[in-house]
Amino acid sequence: MKPGRLLLVCLIVTVFAGPALAADNAKCLMCHGAPGLSKRLPDGSVISLHIDDQAFRQSVHGARLCTDCHIDMRGQTFPHKRSAVPVKCSGCHFMGNPMGAPNIGPMTEYADSVHGRAVKRGDKDAPRCKNCHGEHDIRAHTDPRSSIYRANIPDTCGKCHSDAGMARKHKIPVKRPYQLYEKSVHGKAVSGQGLIAAAVCTDCHGGHTIKAAADPMSTVNKKHIPGTCGRCHKKILEEYKKSIHGRAVAQGVKDAPVCTNCHGEHGIERPTEPGSSVYPTHVVATCSKCHESAGVQKRFGLPAHRLKTYIGSYHGVANKFGETTVANCATCHGSHGILPSSDPHSMTNKRNLPRTCGKCHPGAGENFAKGSVHLEPSEKRDKGVYWVRIFYTVFIVGLIGSFALYILLDIFSRVRKRGGRAR
Ligand code: HEC
Ligand code: HEC
Ligand code: HEC
Ligand code: HEC
Ligand code: HEC
Ligand code: HEC
Ligand code: HEC
Ligand code: HEC
Ligand code: HEC
Ligand code: HEC
Ligand code: HEC
C-alpha cells in the first residue's frame, strides 16, 4: 500500500472505526464545525451547537483543547453523552496557575462582587464569566474586537443594564444607565470619537469588583466618588479636596456635595451644553438643592436666603431670563475650590472681591463690591445699608406720592376751571 493511502485508511479508522477517543479538536469539529448543527430544547426553542473554528482559533484560547474546558468530554466515545458539567473558568484562571492564564483577581474578586453573589444565590439574570467574555470567541482586553476592549465595555454591560424591567425586578435604583451614558460627554467621546481615555462603566464601577453604591467598599459609594473621578480629573480633585465641600466629605459629612451631586453620574455633560446641570442658568438650581434646605442651613449654621437675594439682584433677574454672561453662584464662589468668605483664599473674601467682580466688571474697585451681594440688610447687621434703604424707600414713596398728588391736584383744578367756564 502506498504511504498516502495508508495514512488515509488510518485516518478513517481512527475517526469512524467504532468507539474512538475524543482526543483533539478536529474530531469535535467534525460535527460541531457544521453550521447547521443545532438542538431543540424542551420549550421548543432551538439553540445552535455550531462552533466557528476560525473564531475559536483566533481567540485567546485558540491553542486549547476543547476538552480543556469541556472536561466531561474527555475520553468520551461518539456519539457522546449530553454534556452535563458547565465549563469552569476557574479550572485555569486561579492564582499561580501553571498555564499562565492571567488572573488579576477575576476569580476571587468576582465571587465577592454584586454579580458573583447574585449568581451564588442562583440568580439566572446575573452575569457569569461567559456573559461578559463570550464562550469560544474570547479575546484579550487589548483586542478591539473583544467584548472587554474599552470601547466595547458599555455595550457589554448595556446588554442587561439598558433594560428597565430587569432593573425593577432586581430593585436597582438606576433603571437605564446605558442610555444615559451613551448621551453623556464620556459616552460620546468613546463611541463617537473613539477617545478611549474617557470614562467607561468599569472605570467608575470596576470590572470584577462591582458593588452596589450603598456598599461602603464600592468605588461609587459617596465617600469614594471624588477619588474615582479624580483618577482622570486630577487637577480638579486637588482643588476640590481643599474646598469646604471636599473637606466636609472627607470628614464623613453626608450633606456635602461630591462630583456627582453637581454633575450627575451617567448623564454628565459639558458645562457649555444647555442640558448640563452646571450650565450657567442651571448652576443656581444645582447649588440651591442644598443651600435652600432649611435642614442643611441649620445643621451647618449657613446663612439663609441665598437664592432669594440672588434672584432679587440684577444678575439673578438676567440669569432667570437665560442670560449666561451674568454672574451665577459658581462665577463668584468658584466651582471646585469653594471656600467660606471668611477664608483669605476665598474668591468671595473681601480682599479678593475686586478681582472676582473684575473678571466681568473691569476696573471694579473695593467699593464696587461693597454690600451689593446677597443683600438682606437688617437694623442689626449692615446698619448703614439698612437705614439707607429705609431712607430710599421713604424717599421714593414720598417722591412718587407727591408727584401723584400734584397730578391729581392739577386735574382737579382743571376740572374745576372747566366747570366754572361752562356755568
Ligand atoms: C458525532 C458528532 C459529534 C461529535 C464528534 C461531538 N459532538 Fe458534541 N454534540 C453532538 C450532538 C448531536 C449534541 C447534542 C446532544 C443533545 O441533543 O443533547 C452535542 C452536544 C454537545 C455539547 C452540549 C451542548 C448542550 O448545551 O447540550 C457539548 C458541550 C459538546 N457537544 C461538546 C463536544 C466536544 C468537546 C466534542 C469533542 C470532544 C464533541 N462535542 C464531539 C454531536 C457531536
Ligand atoms: C475556554 C473554554 C472553552 C473551550 C476551549 C471550548 N469551549 Fe465550548 N463552551 C465553553 C463555554 C463557557 C460554553 C457555554 C456553556 C457552559 O457554560 O458550560 C461552551 C459551550 C459549548 C457548546 C454548547 C453550545 C454553545 O455554544 O453554547 C458546544 C457544542 C461547545 N462548547 C463545543 C466546543 C468545541 C467543539 C470546542 C473546541 C473546538 C470548545 N467548545 C472549546 C467554553 C469553552
Ligand atoms: C460583569 C462583566 C464581567 C464578568 C461577569 C467577568 N468579567 Fe472578566 N473582565 C471584565 C472586564 C470589563 C475586563 C477588562 C479589565 C477590567 O476592566 O477590569 C475583564 C478582564 C478579565 C481578564 C483579564 C485580566 C487581565 O489582567 O488581563 C480575565 C482573565 C477575566 N476577566 C476572566 C474572568 C473570569 C474567569 C470570570 C468569571 C469568574 C470573569 N472574568 C467575569 C468583565 C467581566
Ligand atoms: C484550560 C485553561 C483555561 C480555561 C478553562 C479558561 N482559560 Fe482563559 N486563558 C487561559 C490562558 C492560558 C490564557 C492566556 C492566553 C494567552 O495569553 O495566549 C487565557 C486568557 C484569557 C483571557 C484574556 C485575558 C486578557 O489578556 O485580557 C480571558 C478574558 C479569559 N482567558 C477568560 C476566560 C473565561 C471567561 C473562561 C471560562 C469561560 C476561561 N478563560 C477559561 C486558559 C484558560
Ligand atoms: C447578564 C446581565 C448583566 C450584565 C452583562 C451586567 N450586569 Fe450588572 N447586574 C445584573 C443583575 C441581574 C444585577 C442585580 C444583582 C442583584 O440582584 O443583586 C446587577 C447589578 C449591578 C450593579 C449593582 C446594582 C444594585 O443596586 O444592586 C451594578 C453597579 C452593576 N450591575 C454594574 C454592571 C456593570 C458595570 C457591568 C459591565 C461591566 C454589568 N453590570 C454587567 C446583570 C448584569
Ligand atoms: C463617570 C462614572 C460612571 C460611569 C462611566 C458609569 N457609572 Fe454607573 N454609577 C456611577 C455612580 C457615581 C453611581 C452611584 C449613583 C448613586 O449613588 O445613586 C452609579 C450607579 C450605577 C448603577 C446603580 C448602582 C446602585 O447600587 O445604585 C448601575 C446599575 C450602574 N451605575 C451601571 C452602569 C453602567 C452599565 C455603565 C456603563 C454603560 C455605567 N454605570 C457607567 C458612576 C458611573
Ligand atoms: C477614565 C477616565 C475618566 C473618569 C474616571 C472620569 N472622566 Fe470625566 N472625562 C474624561 C475625559 C477623557 C473627558 C474628555 C472628553 C472629551 O473632551 O470629549 C472627560 C470629560 C468630562 C467632563 C466635561 C469636561 C469639559 O471640558 O467639558 C466632565 C464634566 C466630567 N468628565 C466629569 C466627570 C465626573 C464627575 C466623573 C466621575 C463621576 C468623571 N468625569 C470620571 C475622563 C474621565
Ligand atoms: C459644588 C458643585 C461641584 C462639585 C462638587 C464638582 N463640580 Fe465640577 N463643575 C462645577 C461647575 C459649576 C462647573 C462649570 C464651571 C467651571 O468650569 O468651573 C464644573 C466644571 C467641571 C469640569 C469641566 C470644566 C473644567 O474645569 O475642566 C469638569 C471636568 C469637572 N467639573 C469635574 C469635576 C470632578 C471630577 C469633581 C469631583 C472631584 C467635580 N467636578 C466636583 C460644579 C461642581
Ligand atoms: C449636596 C449639597 C450641596 C451642594 C449641591 C452645594 N453645597 Fe455648598 N455646602 C453644602 C454643605 C453641607 C456645606 C457646609 C459644609 C461644612 O461647613 O462642613 C456647604 C458649604 C458651602 C459654602 C461655605 C459656607 C460657610 O460659611 O462655611 C459655600 C460658600 C458654598 N457651600 C457654596 C456652594 C455653591 C456656590 C454651590 C454650587 C456651585 C454649592 N455650595 C453646592 C452643601 C452643598
Ligand atoms: C455676584 C457674586 C455672587 C453670586 C452671584 C452669589 N454669591 Fe454667594 N456670596 C458672595 C459674597 C461676596 C459672599 C460673602 C458676603 C455676603 O455674605 O454677602 C457670599 C456669601 C455666600 C454664602 C455664605 C457663606 C460665605 O462664604 O460667606 C453662601 C452659602 C453663598 N454665598 C451661596 C451662594 C449661592 C447658593 C448662590 C447662587 C444662588 C450665590 N451664593 C451667588 C457672592 C456671590
Ligand atoms: C460672570 C461675570 C460677572 C461677575 C463675576 C460679576 N458680574 Fe455683575 N454683572 C455682570 C453682567 C454681564 C452685568 C450686566 C450689566 C453690565 O454689563 O455691566 C452685571 C451687572 C451688575 C450690576 C448691576 C448693573 C450695573 O452695571 O450696575 C451690579 C451692581 C453688579 N453686576 C455687581 C457685581 C458685583 C458686586 C460682583 C462681584 C461680587 C459682580 N457683579 C460679579 C457680570 C458679572
Side-chain angles (χ1 to χ4, degrees):
M1 209 183 272
K2 280 184 188 156
R5 251 190 224 157
L6 181 70
L7 194 68
L8 192 70
V9 169
C10 286
L11 254 176
I12 291 170
V13 167
T14 41
V15 175
F16 291 111
L21 283 183
D24 63 26
N25 297 358
K27 275 181 203 157
C28 310
L29 288 166
M30 277 191 36
C31 296
H32 289 287
L37 191 67
S38 61
K39 167 173 125 172
R40 192 177 288 275
L41 296 178
D43 68 3
S45 59
V46 176
I47 58 156
S48 169
L49 299 177
H50 169 235
I51 307 300
D52 182 341
D53 185 26
Q54 202 167 336
F56 176 70
R57 279 191 224 213
Q58 285 171 4
S59 80
V60 282
H61 301 117
R64 300 277 132 204
L65 292 177
C66 306
T67 48
D68 282 350
C69 285
H70 297 285
I71 48 172
D72 59 334
M73 293 286 164
R74 283 180 193 160
Q76 284 245 11
T77 54
F78 298 118
H80 61 68
K81 280 193 289 207
R82 266 201 82 214
S83 175
V85 181
V87 171
K88 274 212 172 87
C89 310
S90 55
C92 299
H93 288 277
F94 58 87
M95 219 59 93
N97 70 78
M99 284 77 67
N103 186 47
I104 305 182
M107 299 317 302
T108 46
E109 289 172 347
Y110 168 78
D112 201 31
S113 74
V114 64
H115 293 139
R117 286 190 194 177
V119 166
K120 218 182 291 164
R121 287 197 305 269
D123 189 330
K124 293 230 161 29
D125 298 336
R128 280 110 181 117
C129 316
K130 63 181 178 188
N131 296 106
C132 291
H133 289 286
E135 298 169 1
H136 303 105
D137 52 357
I138 296 173
R139 292 168 186 275
H141 62 289
T142 46
D143 184 336
R145 288 166 297 182
S146 170
S147 60
I148 57 162
Y149 179 66
R150 285 184 63 82
N152 302 331
I153 286 175
D155 286 343
T156 299
C157 309
K159 274 191 295 190
C160 302
H161 290 286
S162 54
D163 179 355
M166 186 284 274
R168 263 191 296 277
K169 182 174 162 198
H170 291 272
K171 302 193 175 68
I172 301 176
V174 188
K175 300 289 177 271
R176 300 166 96 191
Y178 175 74
Q179 285 87 338
L180 290 171
Y181 169 81
E182 283 292 292
K183 283 190 268 168
S184 75
V185 61
H186 295 133
K188 283 192 284 198
V190 172
S191 62
Q193 296 155 248
L195 179 64
I196 57 169
V200 298
C201 319
T202 47
D203 291 313
C204 295
H205 289 284
H208 300 128
T209 51
I210 299 171
K211 297 200 163 58
D215 187 326
M217 297 299 284
S218 168
T219 49
V220 296
N221 183 264
K222 182 155 189 175
K223 204 171 48 175
H224 298 301
I225 286 174
T228 298
C229 308
R231 273 201 309 138
C232 301
H233 297 285
K234 284 198 164 66
K235 261 186 155 159
I236 291 175
L237 175 64
E238 286 316 309
E239 211 186 325
Y240 169 80
K241 273 195 194 149
K242 290 184 218 140
S243 76
I244 177 92
H245 293 143
R247 280 181 300 182
V249 168
Q251 280 161 19
V253 173
K254 289 211 172 62
D255 288 321
V258 294
C259 320
T260 48
N261 290 109
C262 295
H263 289 283
E265 297 101 19
H266 301 110
I268 297 171
E269 289 191 61
R270 287 186 199 285
T272 48
E273 288 285 335
S276 166
S277 53
V278 295
Y279 186 68
T281 56
H282 296 159
V283 165
V284 179
T286 299
C287 308
S288 298
K289 269 190 301 195
C290 303
H291 284 280
E292 285 305 293
S293 147
V296 168
Q297 289 165 2
K298 203 165 152 227
R299 276 197 289 286
F300 300 93
L302 302 178
H305 303 316
R306 299 295 101 175
L307 182 59
K308 188 173 131 198
T309 50
Y310 172 71
I311 287 178
S313 75
Y314 182 90
H315 296 138
V317 173
N319 182 282
K320 205 162 185 183
F321 283 102
E323 182 53 59
T324 55
T325 56
V326 291
N328 61 52
C329 320
T331 42
C332 287
H333 287 278
S335 333
H336 305 119
I338 297 172
L339 294 167
S341 57
S342 53
D343 187 311
H345 296 294
S346 168
M347 282 168 69
T348 52
N349 183 271
K350 269 210 180 69
R351 270 192 351 197
N352 303 326
L353 278 180
R355 188 159 14 115
T356 301
C357 311
K359 277 188 298 190
C360 306
H361 298 283
E366 236 166 75
N367 279 330
F368 178 76
K370 217 172 250 172
S372 41
V373 184
H374 296 306
L375 210 56
E376 210 187 19
S378 72
E379 200 182 350
K380 275 191 221 131
R381 258 187 328 127
D382 305 315
K383 215 182 235 171
V385 180
Y386 178 77
W387 284 112
V388 167
R389 273 213 175 169
I390 297 274
F391 173 74
Y392 231 68
T393 317
V394 171
F395 180 73
I396 289 174
V397 168
L399 197 70
I400 293 175
S402 3
F403 196 60
L405 195 68
Y406 172 79
I407 292 171
L408 272 176
L409 285 174
D410 186 53
I411 293 172
F412 183 66
S413 77
R414 274 165 204 255
V415 168
R416 248 187 36 176
K417 264 189 207 156
R418 204 177 290 165
R421 236 182 264 142
R423 227 181 282 145

